[in-house]
Amino acid sequence: VLIADVCTGSGCIAVALLKHLPAARAVATDLSPDALDVARGNAQRHGVLDRLELLPGNLLEPLRDHPVAGGAGAVDYLVSNPPYIPDHEWDAVEPNVKDHEPH
């Protein structure tokens, strides 16, 4: 099973899926290098980094040239929880979100 997680942020979706699906692999994309660093740390912490490939770029763009994910029908599941907080509202975000998500 190959999962693509678009706008992975902290990687919580990809990491949780890989933790509970031991035969699965995932590719995760994000525009933010800082977000990918957070996702990498979370994947390492939960022992799934060896099955997660982190790709920099916007939305589905990094998957187009990916040797596995880019082929038609190669991704079994596409998941995403894209950013939903506009930049102008960031200062008002509660600490339980703000302190655990990359900008």
Side-chain angles (χ1 to χ4, degrees), residues 9-97:
S10 66
C12 62
I13 294 173
V15 170
L17 288 170
L18 291 175
K19 188 74 175 176
H20 293 283
L21 299 169
R25 295 175 299 118
V27 291
T29 71
D30 205 288
L31 192 58
S32 166
D34 291 339
L36 293 175
D37 286 343
V38 170
R40 184 176 293 104
N42 286 333
Q44 175 122 23
R45 183 175 302 111
H46 292 282
V48 298
L49 185 57
D50 62 324
R51 297 184 289 124
L52 177 63
E53 185 173 357
L54 299 162
L55 304 175
N58 194 25
L59 300 170
L60 296 170
E61 194 172 288
L63 299 177
R64 288 190 186 131
D65 295 326
H66 189 276
V68 176
V75 172
D76 297 295
Y77 297 98
L78 177 66
V79 297
S80 183
N81 184 19
Y84 55 89
I85 302 168
D87 289 341
H88 69 276
E89 294 179 13
W90 186 251
D91 289 336
V93 172
E94 293 295 322
N96 65 321
V97 173

